[in-house]
Amino acid sequence: MIKVAFYDAKPYDRSSFEHYGKLHDVQFRFLEIKLSEDTVELARDCDAVCVFVNDNVNAKVIDRLYEMGIKLIALRSAGYNNVDVRAAFGKIHVVHVPAYSPYAVAEHAMALLLTSVRRIHKAYNRTREFNFSLSGLTGFDLHGKTVGVIGTGRIGRIFIDICRGFGMNVIAYDAYPAPDSGIEYVTLEELFHRSDIISLHCPLNDSTRHMIDRKAIDSMKKGVIIVNTSRGALINAEALLDGIRARKVGAACLDVYEEEADIFFEDRSGHILNDELLSRLISMPNVIVTSHQAFLTEEALNNIAETTVNNILSCFEKDGLCDNELCYRCGNIERCRKERKERCF
Ligand code: NAI
C-alpha cells in the first residue's frame, strides 16, 4: 500500500482519486489545507504528497518532506511553477500531468464566447425573475466572423476546429507554427488588426507576459472580443479594463486572472473582495469571469486521477522510471524524456 498525503483536496477531486487509488492499492489522505511550511507535518507516515497549483512547495518544504522520508511530489496539474524543482533534485522525485483534456478547455472557451455573444448570462437571470423582455439582448452571428487564435498547440487546435464548425474564418499566431496544418498563420500585429474575436491558447512565459497590453488593444478592431482560458498574466488587466471603458473592447471572457492565486477556487461570497481591479472587471456588463474552471470536466478529472496514480506507481514500482518526471538538470524536459534510460537520480 502506497500512502499519499493529498493537499488542497476539493470535493470534486475525491471520487476519481479514490476510484483509481483503490484499483492500485494507493491510499490517499485527503487534506483540505494547502501544503506549506506550516502544514508539511500532516504528511507524516506517507510515501508521497499530491499537490495542486496553489500548494507552496518551496525549498524549506522540500527539505522537511525529505527528512520525513517522502519520496515523491505528484503534481495533479500540468504547470509546476509552485514547486522548486531545483531544490528537489537528488532528494525527491517530482511528477506532473502534462495533458488531461484539451477538449475541456477549448469547449469552455467556446462556451464563454457564446454566452457573451448571445447574452445568455443576462437572459438566464431575466427569465428566473419572469422578465421575458428581449431588450438589450441582441447578439451577432459567429458565422463569417474572423477569430484570431494565439497558440496552436493541443487546446488551440481543438478550438480552431470548433470555430470552423461555426463557419468562422480562422487566423492564428504561434511562435512555432505547425507546418502542413492548414492553418493560416499571420503575424501578431496582423492578428490584432484583423480579428473580431481573439482567443489565447499559449503558455505564460517571459515573452508572452502581458502580450495583450495597451498597445496591442489600441491596434485591435473596435468591439473586439477577447477570450482568455490560458493564464491571467497574458493580459495586462488594467489595460483591458481601460479598453472596455473606452468601448474599444466589446467584451472579455476570462477564465483566468493575473492575481487569481489567493482568490479563485474558494468561496469568497460574504467577504469583501480586496481586489479593486477584479471587482471592477466583474461589474462590467460585457465581462464574464469564471474561476479557472475550464479544465473541470469529468473526463479531465478522470484523466488527471488516472495519470497521477500511474505516475505514482511508475515511481514506486516497475523500474522507477516515469515519463512525466520533472527534473531541472538537463533544462530540456522533452529531449530528456526521449534520451533518458534511467531515473534522473
Ligand atoms: P501546448 O503546449 O500544446 O500549446 C501551446 C502552444 O503555444 C504551442 O503551439 C506553442 O508553440 C505556442 N507558443 C509558445 N510560445 C508562444 C508565444 N510566445 N507566442 C505564441 N504562441 C506560443 O499547450 P496546451 O495544452 O494547448 O495549453 C495551452 C495553455 O492552456 C497552457 O499553457 C495553459 O496555460 C492553459 N491551460 C488552462 C487551463 C484552464 O483550466 N484554464 C487548463 C489547461 C491548460
XYZ file of all heavy atoms in Angstrom, residues 52 78-79 98-102 104-105 108 149-158 173-178 185 188 200-209 211 228-232 234 255-256 260 265 290-296, ligand 1:
486
model
N -1.530 20.597 -5.780
C -2.179 21.327 -6.886
C -1.503 22.682 -7.041
O -0.499 22.977 -6.364
C -3.683 21.437 -6.596
C -4.513 21.791 -7.792
C -4.364 21.110 -8.994
C -5.460 22.807 -7.722
C -5.134 21.447 -10.103
C -6.236 23.143 -8.827
C -6.070 22.464 -10.013
N -0.672 20.411 -14.852
C 0.393 20.457 -15.867
C 1.484 21.427 -15.407
O 2.671 21.123 -15.448
C -0.188 20.887 -17.205
N 1.058 22.606 -14.936
C 2.017 23.637 -14.506
C 2.725 23.236 -13.216
O 2.152 22.531 -12.386
N 1.005 16.192 -17.799
C 1.227 17.175 -18.865
C -0.033 17.532 -19.662
O -0.181 18.658 -20.112
C 2.276 16.503 -19.764
C 2.293 15.075 -19.385
C 1.763 14.959 -17.999
N -0.933 16.582 -19.841
C -2.168 16.868 -20.595
C -3.272 15.983 -20.057
O -3.032 14.827 -19.738
C -1.956 16.582 -22.079
N -4.484 16.549 -19.936
C -5.571 15.714 -19.413
C -6.836 15.802 -20.255
O -7.469 14.802 -20.513
C -5.872 16.016 -17.944
C -5.655 17.434 -17.526
C -6.658 18.368 -17.642
C -4.427 17.847 -17.016
C -6.456 19.671 -17.250
C -4.214 19.152 -16.637
C -5.229 20.060 -16.756
O -5.030 21.360 -16.381
N -7.239 16.995 -20.677
C -8.328 17.076 -21.657
C -8.288 18.428 -22.342
O -8.856 19.398 -21.845
C -9.708 16.872 -21.016
O -10.694 17.125 -22.006
N -7.644 18.481 -23.499
C -7.652 19.750 -24.232
C -9.065 20.142 -24.662
O -9.375 21.310 -24.825
C -6.759 19.464 -25.449
C -6.691 17.988 -25.574
C -6.895 17.433 -24.203
N -11.768 19.888 -22.883
C -12.427 20.598 -21.779
C -12.166 22.100 -21.894
O -13.090 22.916 -21.795
C -11.907 20.069 -20.439
N -10.913 22.480 -22.118
C -10.545 23.897 -22.123
C -11.065 24.582 -23.402
O -11.634 25.673 -23.346
C -9.016 24.068 -21.985
C -8.649 25.543 -21.922
C -8.503 23.340 -20.748
N -14.742 25.079 -23.178
C -15.093 26.144 -22.225
C -14.874 27.518 -22.872
O -15.671 28.438 -22.661
C -14.259 26.016 -20.950
C -14.740 26.886 -19.826
N -15.853 26.588 -19.072
C -14.272 28.067 -19.349
C -16.043 27.541 -18.176
N -15.093 28.454 -18.320
N -6.497 33.089 -33.263
C -6.122 32.143 -32.208
C -4.627 32.284 -31.940
O -3.805 32.122 -32.849
C -6.481 30.696 -32.634
C -6.027 29.687 -31.583
C -7.979 30.576 -32.874
N -4.269 32.593 -30.705
C -2.850 32.739 -30.348
C -2.421 31.480 -29.604
O -2.894 31.214 -28.498
C -2.625 34.002 -29.489
C -3.123 35.235 -30.249
C -1.155 34.132 -29.106
C -2.946 36.549 -29.511
N -1.550 30.699 -30.248
C -1.142 29.410 -29.666
C -1.930 28.296 -30.318
O -3.142 28.177 -30.109
N -1.259 27.506 -31.156
C -1.960 26.444 -31.890
C -1.451 25.064 -31.468
O -1.115 24.221 -32.286
C -1.799 26.626 -33.417
O -0.389 26.663 -33.709
C -2.447 27.895 -33.899
N -1.363 24.871 -30.141
C -0.979 23.557 -29.605
C -2.218 22.702 -29.442
O -3.181 22.819 -30.205
N -2.207 21.852 -28.405
C -3.310 20.901 -28.216
C -4.662 21.606 -28.107
O -5.621 21.251 -28.798
C -3.059 20.079 -26.947
C -2.023 19.000 -27.108
C -1.709 18.363 -25.779
N -0.926 19.273 -24.965
C 0.277 19.020 -24.464
N 0.813 17.844 -24.659
N 0.930 19.892 -23.742
N -4.739 22.613 -27.240
C -6.035 23.263 -26.991
C -6.401 24.192 -28.158
O -7.533 24.173 -28.643
C -5.989 24.032 -25.648
C -5.798 23.040 -24.485
C -7.263 24.849 -25.448
C -5.477 23.678 -23.143
N -5.427 24.981 -28.613
C -5.692 25.930 -29.697
C -6.219 25.242 -30.941
O -7.156 25.726 -31.597
N -5.665 24.077 -31.287
C -6.100 23.353 -32.499
C -7.552 22.890 -32.369
O -8.308 22.917 -33.337
C -5.229 22.118 -32.730
C -3.788 22.407 -32.965
C -3.527 22.622 -34.460
N -2.125 22.370 -34.665
C -1.638 21.338 -35.333
N -2.435 20.466 -35.899
N -0.340 21.188 -35.452
N -7.906 22.422 -31.163
C -9.293 21.953 -30.977
C -10.243 23.147 -31.038
O -11.315 23.077 -31.643
C -9.424 21.176 -29.647
C -8.632 19.874 -29.755
C -10.885 20.886 -29.308
C -8.333 19.207 -28.447
N -1.660 32.890 -34.705
C -0.250 33.228 -34.494
C 0.320 32.204 -33.521
O -0.318 31.856 -32.519
C -0.095 34.639 -33.901
C 1.314 34.883 -33.430
C 2.334 35.144 -34.357
C 1.652 34.779 -32.084
C 3.638 35.309 -33.940
C 2.956 34.945 -31.657
C 3.950 35.213 -32.589
O 5.252 35.358 -32.174
N 1.519 31.715 -33.832
C 2.229 30.810 -32.914
C 3.715 31.082 -33.096
O 4.184 31.294 -34.227
C 1.892 29.344 -33.238
C 2.294 28.399 -32.113
O 3.498 28.347 -31.774
O 1.409 27.713 -31.565
N 4.457 31.084 -31.993
C 5.902 31.296 -32.089
C 6.551 30.143 -32.865
O 7.632 30.306 -33.451
C 6.500 31.404 -30.687
N 5.895 28.999 -32.865
C 6.395 27.814 -33.592
C 5.244 27.255 -34.431
O 4.607 26.272 -34.046
C 6.904 26.753 -32.607
C 7.866 27.313 -31.592
C 7.394 27.725 -30.334
C 9.210 27.462 -31.887
C 8.264 28.276 -29.401
C 10.083 28.011 -30.962
C 9.604 28.417 -29.723
O 10.455 28.964 -28.801
N 4.975 27.869 -35.589
C 3.818 27.432 -36.394
C 3.923 25.952 -36.772
O 5.030 25.442 -36.985
C 3.915 28.312 -37.645
C 4.799 29.452 -37.281
C 5.735 28.950 -36.233
N 2.773 25.293 -36.825
C 2.764 23.865 -37.174
C 2.744 23.738 -38.693
O 1.786 24.165 -39.339
C 1.537 23.207 -36.570
N -1.411 31.151 -40.795
C -0.632 31.885 -39.785
C -0.379 33.308 -40.258
O -0.097 33.536 -41.441
C 0.705 31.181 -39.531
C 0.572 29.934 -38.688
C 0.640 28.659 -39.268
C 0.372 30.014 -37.318
C 0.504 27.510 -38.504
C 0.234 28.869 -36.545
C 0.306 27.628 -37.136
O 0.171 26.504 -36.377
N 1.539 38.603 -35.242
C 0.694 39.004 -34.114
C -0.007 40.326 -34.428
O -1.201 40.496 -34.145
C 1.578 39.141 -32.865
C 0.907 39.057 -31.503
C 0.007 37.844 -31.379
C 1.959 39.048 -30.398
N -6.855 33.227 -26.521
C -5.469 32.950 -26.114
C -5.285 31.491 -25.705
O -5.993 31.008 -24.811
C -5.090 33.859 -24.942
C -5.243 35.358 -25.182
C -5.002 36.135 -23.904
C -4.274 35.812 -26.263
N -4.333 30.811 -26.339
C -4.066 29.400 -26.019
C -2.572 29.109 -25.981
O -2.142 28.003 -26.323
C -4.776 28.497 -27.041
C -6.254 28.697 -27.025
N -7.040 28.250 -25.991
C -7.070 29.356 -27.874
C -8.299 28.601 -26.218
N -8.342 29.283 -27.354
N -1.772 30.111 -25.583
C -0.316 29.903 -25.492
C 0.096 29.900 -24.021
O -0.658 30.351 -23.159
C 0.425 30.997 -26.269
S 0.095 32.634 -25.636
N 1.273 29.380 -23.709
C 1.700 29.342 -22.302
C 2.136 30.719 -21.818
O 2.421 31.611 -22.627
C 2.893 28.385 -22.332
C 3.418 28.448 -23.717
C 2.267 28.772 -24.614
N 2.213 30.858 -20.509
C 2.752 32.088 -19.921
C 4.259 31.917 -19.750
O 4.716 30.961 -19.128
C 2.106 32.329 -18.551
C 2.660 33.524 -17.775
C 2.362 34.834 -18.490
C 2.100 33.559 -16.362
N 5.006 32.812 -20.360
C 6.460 32.839 -20.141
C 6.923 34.283 -20.321
O 6.098 35.181 -20.517
C 7.195 31.854 -21.076
C 6.856 32.110 -22.531
O 6.738 33.253 -22.960
N 6.686 31.038 -23.295
N 8.232 34.505 -20.276
C 8.721 35.890 -20.334
C 8.296 36.594 -21.618
O 8.072 37.797 -21.629
C 10.257 35.921 -20.211
C 10.682 35.586 -18.792
O 9.801 35.638 -17.899
O 11.865 35.258 -18.575
N 8.187 35.833 -22.712
C 7.859 36.504 -23.974
C 6.355 36.708 -24.168
O 5.936 37.466 -25.046
C 8.450 35.731 -25.158
O 7.783 34.512 -25.293
N 5.537 36.026 -23.372
C 4.082 36.183 -23.562
C 3.423 37.000 -22.443
O 2.251 37.359 -22.573
C 3.376 34.807 -23.652
O 3.646 34.073 -22.451
C 3.845 34.019 -24.843
N 4.160 37.253 -21.351
C 3.572 38.028 -20.242
C 3.087 39.393 -20.767
O 3.806 40.086 -21.464
C 4.630 38.224 -19.147
C 4.104 38.901 -17.895
C 5.180 38.927 -16.825
N 5.601 37.572 -16.470
C 4.984 36.799 -15.574
N 3.957 37.266 -14.921
N 5.414 35.577 -15.328
N 1.191 40.102 -23.188
C 1.183 40.253 -24.658
C -0.050 41.071 -25.099
O -0.020 41.742 -26.131
C 1.268 38.903 -25.375
C 0.018 38.053 -25.351
S 0.294 36.352 -25.914
C 1.133 36.579 -27.441
N -9.833 34.561 -22.735
C -8.593 34.039 -22.139
C -8.885 32.856 -21.224
O -9.454 33.016 -20.145
C -7.863 35.133 -21.353
C -6.477 34.670 -20.899
O -6.024 33.584 -21.281
N -5.807 35.471 -20.097
N -8.503 31.669 -21.696
C -8.610 30.466 -20.858
C -7.210 29.915 -20.578
O -7.075 28.765 -20.160
C -9.455 29.363 -21.543
O -8.894 29.112 -22.837
C -10.911 29.745 -21.671
N -6.165 30.724 -20.819
C -4.796 30.201 -20.658
C -4.194 30.585 -19.313
O -4.216 29.790 -18.380
C -3.900 30.675 -21.799
O -3.964 29.726 -22.837
N -3.637 31.767 -19.223
C -3.081 32.238 -17.955
C -3.369 33.727 -17.841
O -3.221 34.471 -18.824
C -1.563 32.000 -17.877
C -1.161 30.566 -17.613
C -1.570 30.092 -16.203
N -1.237 28.694 -15.963
C -2.065 27.660 -16.140
N -3.290 27.868 -16.576
N -1.676 26.424 -15.876
N -3.713 34.179 -16.641
C -4.150 35.555 -16.446
C -3.136 36.580 -16.907
O -3.484 37.596 -17.528
N -1.191 36.787 -19.237
C -1.042 37.073 -20.669
C -1.653 38.440 -20.981
O -1.314 39.085 -21.965
C -1.747 36.002 -21.509
C -1.174 34.585 -21.442
C -2.070 33.621 -22.206
C 0.245 34.544 -22.004
N -11.343 33.170 -17.957
C -11.342 32.031 -17.022
C -10.150 32.135 -16.077
O -10.046 31.354 -15.133
C -11.276 30.707 -17.795
C -11.426 29.499 -16.868
O -12.384 29.492 -16.069
O -10.576 28.591 -16.919
N -9.266 33.054 -16.370
C -8.035 33.203 -15.582
C -7.781 34.687 -15.358
O -8.232 35.525 -16.139
C -6.833 32.568 -16.327
C -6.869 31.054 -16.250
C -6.796 33.008 -17.790
N -5.098 35.731 -9.514
C -6.150 34.805 -9.076
C -5.751 33.916 -7.892
O -6.611 33.384 -7.193
C -6.557 33.890 -10.242
C -5.488 32.864 -10.623
C -5.899 31.952 -11.771
O -6.378 32.471 -12.790
O -5.735 30.732 -11.649
N -10.872 29.471 -6.801
C -11.038 28.119 -6.229
C -11.703 28.123 -4.851
O -11.942 27.072 -4.288
C -9.700 27.351 -6.111
C -9.016 27.111 -7.426
C -7.830 27.744 -7.724
C -9.560 26.251 -8.361
C -7.187 27.529 -8.928
C -8.933 26.024 -9.578
C -7.748 26.665 -9.867
N -15.061 33.301 -15.115
C -15.213 32.016 -14.427
C -13.883 31.775 -13.712
O -12.847 32.310 -14.121
C -15.523 30.860 -15.406
O -14.555 30.864 -16.484
C -16.906 30.980 -15.988
N -13.936 30.997 -12.610
C -12.741 30.951 -11.764
C -11.859 29.742 -12.068
O -11.797 28.788 -11.297
C -13.124 30.989 -10.295
O -14.040 29.974 -10.023
N -11.170 29.811 -13.194
C -10.224 28.775 -13.619
C -10.901 27.400 -13.633
O -10.392 26.437 -13.056
C -8.997 28.775 -12.694
C -7.762 28.275 -13.379
N -6.536 28.872 -13.230
C -7.559 27.233 -14.215
C -5.635 28.223 -13.937
N -6.244 27.215 -14.542
N -12.062 27.356 -14.297
C -12.809 26.091 -14.310
C -12.781 25.407 -15.677
O -13.431 24.379 -15.864
C -14.258 26.317 -13.861
C -15.184 26.905 -14.938
C -16.636 26.970 -14.486
O -16.969 27.772 -13.640
N -17.494 26.143 -15.050
N -12.003 25.961 -16.615
C -12.051 25.402 -17.976
C -11.679 23.920 -17.998
O -12.176 23.157 -18.814
C -11.135 26.197 -18.901
N -10.810 23.501 -17.088
C -10.368 22.092 -17.088
C -11.394 21.165 -16.468
O -11.273 19.944 -16.558
C -9.056 21.962 -16.282
C -9.287 22.046 -14.786
C -9.370 20.887 -14.021
C -9.446 23.258 -14.164
C -9.604 20.948 -12.655
C -9.685 23.339 -12.797
C -9.760 22.183 -12.040
N -12.427 21.735 -15.815
C -13.228 20.950 -14.878
C -14.339 20.155 -15.554
O -15.504 20.528 -15.520
C -13.808 21.896 -13.811
C -14.390 21.247 -12.564
C -13.338 20.512 -11.754
C -15.056 22.296 -11.684
P 0.567 23.279 -25.854
O 1.932 23.256 -25.298
O 0.029 22.075 -26.541
O 0.412 24.521 -26.882
C 0.924 25.788 -26.621
C 1.180 26.463 -27.949
O 1.626 27.792 -27.690
C 2.288 25.768 -28.770
O 1.864 25.573 -30.093
C 3.449 26.744 -28.688
O 4.269 26.725 -29.845
C 2.700 28.064 -28.569
N 3.561 29.130 -28.077
C 4.651 29.055 -27.269
N 5.175 30.272 -27.070
C 4.418 31.136 -27.775
C 4.460 32.539 -27.999
N 5.435 33.292 -27.451
N 3.501 33.093 -28.774
C 2.549 32.339 -29.351
N 2.455 31.008 -29.194
C 3.367 30.409 -28.417
O -0.378 23.709 -24.618
P -1.924 23.436 -24.453
O -2.132 22.113 -23.809
O -2.628 23.750 -25.728
O -2.300 24.539 -23.351
C -2.269 25.921 -23.654
C -2.411 26.710 -22.366
O -3.704 26.492 -21.799
C -1.455 26.267 -21.238
O -0.212 26.913 -21.364
C -2.180 26.705 -20.002
O -1.733 27.995 -19.665
C -3.646 26.776 -20.410
N -4.490 25.836 -19.682
C -5.570 26.347 -18.989
C -6.403 25.516 -18.286
C -7.606 26.051 -17.571
O -8.252 25.314 -16.806
N -7.991 27.305 -17.778
C -6.167 24.064 -18.211
C -5.028 23.625 -19.018
C -4.231 24.492 -19.702
